[in-house]
Amino acid sequence: MEPPTAEAVLQGVFTLYNDPNNVEKEKASKWLEEFQKSIHSWKIADELLRQKHDLNSCTFAAQTMRNKIQNSFHELPETAHESLRQSLLEHLSHITIETKSVIVTQLSLALADLALLMSSWQKPVATLLQRFSNNANMMYALIELLTLIPEEVNSRHLRLGANRRKEILLDLEADSTLVGEYLTLCLVNGNESELLRSKILKCFTSWVQINAFKLPEISDSMIIVYSFQLLSSGTTSPDLHEAATDCLCSLLHCMELNNSRGGLDDKLFGGIMCLEEAYNMSVAQEDLDKSMNLCRLFTVLVESNLTRMVALSDDETPHYSVKSLDLVLNCVGHYDYEVAEITFNMWYRLSEDLYQRNNYQLTSHFKPYVERLIAALYKHSQLDPDHDGLVSGSFNDFRFKVSEIVKDVIFIVSSISCFKQMFIILQSPNVSWESSEAALFIMQNVARNILPEESEVVPKVVEAILNLPENCHIAIRYTSISILGELCDWIDSNPETLQPVLNFLLFALQQKNGLATAAANSLQSICSSCKKHMLGHISGLMEIARCLDGFDIQTESAIGLLKGISIIIGRLPGPQLTPAMQELCSFQVEALSRLTNGDDDGLDGKKSRSDPAFWLDRLASIYRHVSTSERNNEVNPCAFVIINNWNVLSRALERYKNDSKIMERIVRCIRYAIRCIGKQAMPILEPLVKQIITIYSGHNHSCLLYLGSILVDEFAYEDGCTQGLLNMLQAFIEPTFGVLQMENGLKNHPDMVDDFFRLATRFIQRAPLQFLQSPLVTPIIQCGLLACTLDHREANISVMRFFCSLLRHDRANDLEPMVQSILASHGEALIMNLLYASVFCLHSNMLSDVAEVFVEIKQHSPLQLEEYVKKAVDSLPKKNSGGSVTVTHEQMVQFVSNVVNSQTPRATTQALQDFARLYR
């Protein structure tokens, strides 16, 4: 853009905030956005801050300055860093009590980021304290700065690099005493301003979070004492209460991280244990925010002691910190379930630790606490006495979380013990419906763990469910139906109960208001677990399938029910299987046939019925779950049905080729059809390939590439198929590369990258010789080299697997010379791109897939790998934009050595992650 003037920017800001014309506002917004990206914005933002024209222009200028330092610091030469620092310090020195907080924050962020990036600025914290600590007007701004500097150390925008970050953290640790003294002074001398006190606490917390303070030195800190005073008082404001909670939680996290035990540990533990009365007061005053703060603090106290609480409990005596669980359980008993929810992750961590140790005596110490937890969750799970209908909304979300936590901890108290305890509640005289339903809900979550031979309680529960009175609450009936599904393994071992259970569920299928959906889900579970016994009920199941659209069932549950029926059909003898499958498919195929012919009459008028996806998903479920056990040379009894239905799917491909969502459903259905009958799908292979090539040339649906990979997987071994499949790949390449070579093509089409390289990988796995001999290999490799930097998990995995498959072959076979030739031509560029991607583009958790490629190259030649890695490392920048050293010569040598000498992919991954941190 042309160099703008300060006046033009002022006019743009004025238009953005004041012009009533939305079109003009939009134009101004886009122009200002472009301005912020330009190199001219540095100078003009500085000028606007000096002019102090109005609030909006100052805010915009401060935001621009912060944005430029965070994202475009590399634009400034090192010689300009000092003048930028002086300018920002000058702007900050003019801050007064009246200065708007948004401007203070943006300027403080800009200076904080500059302090971290600018390696020539030695001891920035000490400089700031020296310059501003005696200026009362600067107290707020200085505390803001001191808060932001440690918070920004780990900012992903700044990419400081591990060396610079380590240098900064050492500096901050050295300056922490000065900061602690200044904050204490502000607390002592400050006025009664709650805002100031809150900022002091937040600043102290930010220094604790980066582990800058030496914990023994702050054990007597006035700020910690003040935090306890605030939490003990019933009159503390909400902001101060939260800030004090954050402060103590951060100290607990810090101690856990450092495994630091001693004076501060004892003070925190004792002090927090004494806050029970404060919690009880918050409950009495119905101050939910304070109750939640204190619950969070108690939970963090347990979490910070969890390791030693478990490890240091012996067979006879639990560790003393176990008593902190009483505080947490007190909170779980709060009248609002949101408070209980805060503790859930802690219970999960405790259960994981105990499960891994598998020590009955140790687990028994925690049994009473978990029993109390489940009792409290049972109470929280109760609906209101006047509630109509089923559980819904946020309470349904909470009950889902209760289900998860009960399943996590139940081994500590045993499923049958819990089941019996809830059954006792059900048998209590005059028990309310909501208590009964909550007990059934807890039972539902442990029912699948009940041993099949249990004969004391489960038969009574099943009998009670089967004899529920007509007038019982709908929520009780719903939960009871769900329990039967969870008891599917028990029913399989007690087949005498199967017939009455099926009768009960069939009756429920004909109900409305959610009961039919619950019945469908339970039937699916019983079909999956009771396959042998359900064979005798196939006629009833087929009748259910015929009437499926007459039931009030959610779409997903209907598909699940078809899955259950399909599983049973798959166990039928061949002569019975074919007609049963044909009939089951016909309900879906007939509807699809009408839709593909443009005739949706007779689909009962419901909108969902005229959506082809509705029927395609059902048909896909059948194809996926009818699993047969014929021998290799036998005809698959499903083949006749699937080939017979092909014309309808072919017409669907043609009719819906403009709709990517429906195309994905059709492809999914075809995929399961082919997987079901394998090479016996040969009659449809040629017409299918021709059709998807034609459609893909005009409509670049990546799902067609995925379907291509399925065809290669199934048919590449078959005589006469390989060349046709290679022709298919060649036909796919031109339209695919046309899309991916557009501006941001790779980034905007990750699904296409994913599916294309999955297809290429299948060729390497199924027909390596033919693939490597084809002229398609080189352009695909070149595309893969560009795609290495794509920061999309699935797409990047597919690219890495392609390269691994390309390199992963028996070194003694005929392919080795071809692979060596590929490595000689592309190996250096591959390692160069992979290392660049690892450092600048990919998330740390994606580097394990990159490491696999390094390992494969090493298998061919460690010397080649070493040469490539050395060149790749040497091409990377050695300094960052702030002038600090990103990577030393010793670190480069060490990285090359680590990669070349690593014995496992995990070690290579670690080497890449450590090296990437030097640039992040």
Side-chain angles (χ1 to χ4, degrees):
M1 64 189 297
E2 287 291 314
T5 61
E7 289 70 25
V9 176
L10 275 172
Q11 183 58 50
V13 172
F14 179 84
T15 301
L16 180 64
Y17 286 100
N18 300 294
D19 198 313
N21 188 326
N22 286 329
V23 175
E24 292 301 315
K25 275 179 180 288
E26 185 65 25
K27 281 169 60 178
S29 176
K30 286 181 178 175
W31 187 87
L32 290 170
E33 198 175 310
E34 287 302 310
F35 160 74
Q36 285 187 318
K37 293 176 185 174
S38 76
I39 198 163
H40 312 293
S41 55
W42 290 99
K43 182 179 178 184
I44 292 178
D46 184 41
E47 195 176 327
L48 293 178
L49 285 168
R50 292 181 194 282
Q51 288 180 9
K52 298 187 180 66
H53 192 276
D54 58 28
L55 173 62
N56 289 335
S57 64
C58 287
T59 302
F60 175 78
Q63 287 170 338
T64 301
M65 196 65 85
R66 185 264 305 160
N67 185 49
K68 296 298 286 185
I69 291 172
Q70 273 192 353
N71 302 308
S72 309
F73 193 61
H74 59 275
E75 292 177 354
L76 286 183
E78 280 191 53
T79 51
H81 293 175
E82 180 58 31
S83 61
L84 175 61
R85 178 177 79 135
Q86 292 302 332
S87 178
L88 285 173
L89 286 169
E90 182 66 20
H91 291 314
L92 271 166
S93 66
H94 292 133
I95 283 174
T96 65
I97 299 295
E98 285 75 36
T99 305
K100 294 296 180 182
S101 62
V102 64
I103 298 175
V104 176
T105 300
Q106 294 299 320
L107 279 177
S108 299
L109 258 175
L111 190 59
D113 288 344
L114 181 64
L116 300 176
L117 286 164
M118 187 174 162
S119 58
S120 59
W121 186 357
Q122 300 291 316
K123 293 285 186 184
V125 170
T127 304
L128 293 169
L129 283 167
Q130 187 177 0
R131 177 159 180 168
F132 296 125
S133 61
N134 294 321
N135 182 345
N137 287 333
M138 282 297 297
M139 188 184 296
Y140 285 88
L142 181 54
I143 292 174
E144 183 88 0
L145 263 171
L146 294 175
T147 304
L148 291 169
I149 287 174
E151 283 183 357
E152 289 291 288
V153 167
N154 294 306
S155 167
R156 61 185 180 87
H157 297 289
L158 299 183
R159 297 189 76 95
L160 294 170
N163 290 330
R164 174 62 178 158
R165 194 172 288 108
K166 184 178 179 182
E167 184 184 310
I168 292 165
L169 288 171
L170 287 171
D171 275 352
L172 296 183
E173 192 178 323
D175 292 334
S176 62
T177 304
L178 288 174
V179 172
E181 289 171 354
Y182 176 68
L183 293 176
T184 303
L185 195 65
C186 291
L187 190 63
V188 172
N189 297 334
N191 54 32
E192 291 304 308
S193 165
E194 286 191 358
L195 177 62
L196 176 64
R197 290 170 182 269
S198 178
K199 282 184 175 294
I200 291 168
L201 287 170
K202 288 175 182 175
C203 184
F204 184 82
T205 300
S206 72
W207 283 71
V208 169
Q209 286 170 338
I210 61 159
N211 206 18
F213 292 120
K214 292 181 177 67
L215 295 180
E217 292 180 7
I218 59 169
S219 59
D220 295 320
S221 167
M222 184 180 290
I223 294 172
I224 297 174
V225 173
Y226 180 58
S227 295
F228 275 112
Q229 288 173 356
L230 290 172
L231 295 179
S232 300
S233 169
T235 59
T236 303
S237 71
D239 283 351
L240 274 175
H241 199 275
E242 185 175 7
T245 304
D246 290 342
C247 178
L248 295 182
C249 285
S250 295
L251 283 164
L252 289 169
H253 284 308
C254 189
M255 284 196 305
E256 182 185 10
L257 189 69
N258 292 295
N259 196 22
S260 172
R261 305 299 170 189
L264 181 57
D265 174 41
D266 294 338
K267 284 182 180 177
L268 285 177
F269 189 86
I272 294 169
M273 291 298 291
C274 290
L275 290 174
E276 184 173 14
E277 185 53 42
Y279 170 79
N280 292 335
M281 192 192 315
S282 74
V283 176
Q285 294 173 347
E286 297 188 4
D287 192 330
L288 183 60
D289 288 339
K290 286 184 180 177
S291 294
M292 292 177 83
N293 285 337
L294 289 165
C295 177
R296 177 160 59 92
L297 180 59
F298 299 156
T299 303
V300 172
L301 175 67
V302 174
E303 288 179 327
S304 68
N305 285 290
L306 210 51
T307 302
R308 60 179 184 158
M309 183 188 294
V310 175
L312 301 181
S313 291
D314 57 34
D315 287 351
E316 300 301 322
T317 314
H319 188 259
Y320 76 88
S321 61
V322 166
K323 59 188 176 182
S324 58
L325 287 171
D326 288 314
L327 286 179
V328 173
L329 282 166
N330 191 14
C331 298
V332 175
H334 192 279
Y335 57 82
D336 192 310
Y337 63 77
E338 286 185 34
V339 179
E341 215 173 303
I342 293 169
T343 73
F344 283 5
N345 188 61
M346 181 276 293
W347 293 110
Y348 168 74
R349 284 184 58 188
L350 174 63
S351 68
E352 279 288 287
D353 201 343
L354 291 173
Y355 186 78
Q356 294 296 329
R357 291 174 188 273
N358 194 23
N359 181 325
Y360 173 78
Q361 198 63 41
L362 176 63
T363 302
S364 66
H365 290 314
F366 297 90
K367 184 176 178 180
Y369 298 102
V370 173
E371 286 174 340
R372 287 167 59 193
L373 169 68
I374 291 173
L377 294 177
Y378 150 72
K379 288 182 179 176
H380 277 303
S381 299
Q382 292 182 21
L383 289 157
D384 290 333
D386 56 353
H387 179 86
D388 291 326
L390 302 178
V391 184
S392 60
S394 59
F395 189 58
N396 192 42
D397 296 337
F398 170 71
R399 293 237 301 196
F400 175 78
K401 292 173 185 172
V402 169
S403 294
E404 295 298 302
I405 205 67
V406 168
K407 289 170 185 174
D408 286 334
V409 302
I410 195 60
F411 74 93
I412 298 171
V413 297
S414 92
S415 296
I416 191 60
S417 171
C418 175
F419 204 82
K420 287 178 178 177
Q421 194 62 41
M422 293 298 126
F423 186 60
I424 290 170
I425 293 172
L426 290 176
Q427 291 181 307
S428 304
N430 302 319
V431 62
S432 65
W433 77 262
E434 65 273 13
S435 297
S436 297
E437 193 279 333
L440 287 165
F441 168 70
I442 298 295
M443 293 166 82
Q444 175 193 333
N445 291 303
V446 303
R448 202 167 283 250
N449 301 332
I450 301 295
L451 294 174
E453 58 268 22
E454 205 289 323
S455 58
E456 182 188 345
V457 177
V458 177
K460 294 176 183 175
V461 172
V462 172
E463 185 183 357
I465 289 173
L466 297 179
N467 292 295
L468 282 172
E470 282 292 320
N471 63 346
C472 76
H473 195 284
I474 187 172
I476 289 182
R477 192 170 288 278
Y478 181 93
T479 308
S480 298
I481 292 168
S482 300
I483 287 180
L484 293 177
E486 292 299 306
L487 285 171
C488 54
D489 293 332
W490 185 89
I491 293 170
D492 185 41
S493 297
N494 296 269
E496 69 279 1
T497 61
L498 183 57
Q499 185 64 60
V501 165
L502 290 177
N503 292 341
F504 180 84
L505 294 177
L506 183 58
F507 176 77
L509 267 178
Q510 298 164 61
Q511 308 302 304
K512 296 190 180 298
N513 301 321
L515 294 182
T517 293
N521 294 338
S522 290
L523 266 174
Q524 179 199 326
S525 298
I526 289 171
C527 285
S528 299
S529 291
C530 310
K531 304 181 191 74
K532 182 173 66 175
H533 304 299
M534 287 298 289
L535 270 176
H537 299 277
I538 190 66
S539 58
L541 291 174
M542 293 304 294
E543 185 59 36
I544 288 172
R546 287 187 202 98
C547 304
L548 193 57
D549 289 325
F551 301 136
D552 184 24
I553 301 177
Q554 290 179 0
T555 300
E556 283 183 16
S557 299
I559 292 168
L561 186 49
L562 286 172
K563 169 188 171 180
I565 297 170
S566 301
I567 288 169
I568 305 305
I569 285 177
R571 295 180 66 87
L572 290 169
Q576 295 176 38
L577 190 154
T578 303
M581 183 177 178
Q582 189 169 18
E583 184 180 0
L584 190 61
C585 292
S586 67
F587 310 135
Q588 336 308 325
V589 172
E590 286 167 12
L592 272 174
S593 184
R594 291 203 295 276
L595 288 172
T596 54
N597 288 326
D599 176 19
D600 58 0
D601 290 341
L603 297 178
D604 76 14
K606 290 187 180 178
K607 186 179 179 182
S608 63
R609 304 293 195 269
S610 60
D611 181 355
F614 180 87
W615 306 102
L616 286 162
D617 288 348
R618 290 180 170 200
L619 189 58
S621 182
I622 298 167
Y623 286 167
R624 182 179 186 180
H625 294 106
V626 175
S627 178
T628 60
S629 55
E630 78 285 346
R631 295 185 180 86
N632 284 340
N633 298 324
E634 293 179 345
V635 174
N636 188 312
C638 303
F640 171 80
V641 180
I642 286 173
I643 292 168
N644 200 40
N645 292 339
W646 162 244
N647 286 335
V648 174
L649 290 177
S650 178
R651 286 206 308 273
L653 280 172
E654 187 58 38
R655 180 173 175 84
Y656 299 108
K657 61 187 177 185
N658 295 319
D659 190 321
S660 60
K661 294 292 182 189
I662 296 178
M663 286 295 288
E664 285 175 10
R665 300 310 235 292
I666 300 169
V667 163
R668 187 166 167 269
C669 196
I670 296 172
R671 165 198 171 191
Y672 289 129
I674 290 169
R675 290 298 197 200
C676 181
I677 60 174
K679 64 184 180 182
Q680 294 185 33
M682 189 72 78
I684 67 173
L685 177 61
E686 188 175 343
L688 173 58
V689 169
K690 285 180 180 176
Q691 190 171 10
I692 63 176
I693 286 173
T694 304
I695 293 173
Y696 189 74
S697 64
H699 308 79
N700 308 132
H701 300 302
S702 73
C703 60
L704 297 175
L705 297 173
Y706 180 81
L707 182 54
S709 71
I710 301 296
L711 298 178
V712 172
D713 197 36
E714 291 289 344
F715 296 105
Y717 288 133
E718 299 300 313
D719 293 338
C721 289
T722 308
Q723 189 54 51
L725 291 169
L726 277 170
N727 294 342
M728 175 189 72
L729 175 62
Q730 185 166 14
F732 282 153
I733 282 181
E734 186 178 342
T736 300
F737 286 8
V739 172
L740 298 182
Q741 285 169 355
M742 292 189 295
E743 186 178 358
N744 292 324
L746 292 164
K747 183 179 178 182
N748 294 337
H749 301 278
D751 291 344
M752 185 175 283
V753 175
D754 181 15
D755 291 327
F756 179 76
F757 281 97
R758 183 186 277 109
L759 170 59
T761 301
R762 295 283 191 183
F763 265 108
I764 298 170
Q765 293 167 344
R766 297 290 181 261
L769 184 62
Q770 296 91 326
F771 179 76
L772 293 174
Q773 286 175 337
S774 80
L776 308 177
V777 177
T778 299
I780 293 174
I781 289 174
Q782 289 169 342
C783 181
L785 290 173
L786 294 174
C788 285
T789 57
L790 184 58
D791 181 17
H792 183 280
R793 178 78 179 162
E794 287 74 23
N796 199 273
I797 286 174
S798 286
V799 175
M800 295 307 128
R801 284 179 181 166
F802 165 73
F803 282 119
C804 283
S805 298
L806 198 63
L807 298 164
R808 187 179 294 149
H809 287 290
D810 184 351
R811 311 292 175 245
N813 67 19
D814 296 339
L815 302 174
E816 178 62 12
M818 296 184 197
V819 175
Q820 285 291 357
S821 173
I822 289 170
L823 205 49
S825 302
H826 304 287
E828 184 178 325
L830 177 58
I831 290 295
M832 192 84 73
N833 289 16
L834 288 176
L835 189 59
Y836 179 87
S838 300
V839 167
F840 294 111
C841 306
L842 305 180
H843 290 292
S844 185
N845 63 3
M846 296 168 68
L847 298 188
S848 58
D849 303 293
V850 176
E852 296 280 355
V853 185
F854 278 76
V855 170
E856 290 303 327
I857 294 177
K858 182 184 171 184
Q859 295 297 323
H860 286 275
S861 172
L863 291 176
Q864 268 187 307
L865 178 66
E866 184 173 9
E867 179 191 341
Y868 295 156
V869 175
K870 279 181 179 176
K871 287 184 179 178
V873 167
D874 201 46
S875 70
L876 295 172
K878 309 301 181 291
K879 285 188 173 185
N880 67 16
S881 54
S884 59
V885 174
T886 306
V887 55
T888 65
H889 177 72
E890 291 76 17
Q891 287 169 328
M892 288 192 290
V893 171
Q894 186 63 54
F895 170 65
V896 174
S897 172
N898 289 345
V899 169
V900 175
N901 296 320
S902 63
Q903 300 300 310
T904 63
R906 188 172 182 178
T908 307
T909 303
Q910 190 63 56
L912 283 168
Q913 289 174 338
D914 291 343
F915 189 72
R917 283 191 200 100
L918 297 172
Y919 288 84
R920 295 182 176 181

